[in-house]
Amino acid sequence: MDITYLLNATRSARKSLDPAAPVDLADIRECLQTGLQAANGSNAQSWRWIVVTDPVKRAKIAELYREAYLLRVGGQLLADFLPADTPEGRLMSSTEWLVENMANLPLLVIPCYQPYLPRIDGDESFYQATLYGSIFPAVWNFQLALHTRGYGTCITTLHLHREQAVRELLEIPETYVQGCLLPVGRLRAGHRFRPARRNSVDEVVCLDSWEGGPI
């Protein structure tokens, strides 16, 4: 796959995932190996990746995810209340497809990370940046590798509203933080991602100060 296309067109996959298509765990292992090549804080590599294939555990995580989603949106699904042909309607339809179908996807991946620096009063921004800066580069590597092999995923975090329940279900030690939840599946036959519409560099990049000119 052309590297420029890969970097510009790796998208969040939800409705484009095929729940019925089998997943080759050897492929997933190779993609995870690519993920583990990513930079991480002090090269501590204090991560643990849980690949959930057990249907009972997937169903329970999906149930917790759905509970958390409904908590965030006021207790009911919203897609039916939005015009389907609008960007908002399409996004909500895709989001809620995942809410309703997560249990049917063949595997879920939860990357966990053990903080390697002690907490200091008042260091919340530093702590969070260091922690997630040590796991999300690996997550992105994993996503890119999946795309090259015909798979897709998206970064989700709603399950963290039920973090302790997931921790107990998967026996995750208290010293580890769950970075996100990645539902993984093969892309539907014939699906091809395209670069997304994004603001231009001139709109979002400034030189030397917040109000600086374009680069």
Side-chain angles (χ1 to χ4, degrees), residues 57-180:
K57 291 182 178 181
R58 285 190 286 113
K60 181 58 180 177
I61 293 170
E63 177 187 340
L64 294 168
Y65 185 88
R66 191 177 193 277
E67 287 177 6
Y69 179 79
L70 292 175
L71 174 69
R72 297 293 297 185
V73 298
Q76 62 180 342
L77 300 177
L78 303 178
D80 290 342
F81 299 96
L82 295 171
D85 58 349
T86 63
E88 295 80 7
R90 288 190 290 271
L91 177 61
M92 191 58 65
S93 175
S94 177
T95 297
E96 294 189 345
W97 181 92
L98 183 62
V99 171
E100 297 292 85
N101 288 275
M102 181 177 286
N104 300 322
L105 295 173
L107 63 87
L108 308 175
V109 178
I110 299 181
C112 303
Y113 201 80
Q114 186 175 45
Y116 65 97
L117 294 175
R119 297 296 301 271
I120 300 174
D121 288 344
D123 76 340
E124 188 64 25
S125 295
F126 169 81
Y127 179 83
Q128 295 290 343
T130 302
L131 172 63
Y132 292 106
S134 292
I135 190 64
F136 276 98
V139 169
W140 181 236
N141 267 19
F142 178 56
Q143 289 184 269
L144 293 172
L146 287 172
H147 189 186
T148 66
R149 291 165 174 80
Y151 297 91
T153 188
C154 63
I155 295 173
T156 71
T157 54
L158 278 170
H159 81 290
L160 294 174
H161 283 291
R162 299 290 186 267
E163 180 179 11
Q164 189 59 33
V166 175
R167 183 184 301 280
E168 293 171 3
L169 177 69
L170 302 179
E171 302 176 12
I172 300 171
E174 292 290 339
T175 55
Y176 279 78
V177 173
Q178 300 171 54
C180 61

Side-chain angles (χ1 to χ4, degrees), residues 167-200:
R167 183 184 301 280
E168 293 171 3
L169 177 69
L170 302 179
E171 302 176 12
I172 300 171
E174 292 290 339
T175 55
Y176 279 78
V177 173
Q178 300 171 54
C180 61
L181 169 63
L182 301 159
V184 177
R186 286 193 183 273
L187 297 173
R188 296 183 185 274
H191 182 83
R192 180 175 170 82
F193 287 126
R194 300 186 302 272
R197 292 184 179 180
R198 291 287 189 261
N199 293 331
S200 72

Side-chain angles (χ1 to χ4, degrees), residues 24-37:
D24 187 339
L25 286 180
D27 287 341
I28 303 305
R29 179 184 175 88
E30 291 178 1
C31 293
L32 287 167
Q33 190 64 60
T34 297
L36 299 184
Q37 287 293 323

Side-chain angles (χ1 to χ4, degrees), residues 7-51:
L7 294 173
N8 281 284
T10 297
R11 308 257 66 83
S12 292
R14 300 181 186 90
K15 293 179 81 171
S16 55
L17 300 177
D18 184 352
V23 167
D24 187 339
L25 286 180
D27 287 341
I28 303 305
R29 179 184 175 88
E30 291 178 1
C31 293
L32 287 167
Q33 190 64 60
T34 297
L36 299 184
Q37 287 293 323
N40 59 100
S42 296
N43 196 30
Q45 302 182 59
S46 301
W47 39 39
R48 186 84 163 184
W49 298 63
I50 304 178
V51 178

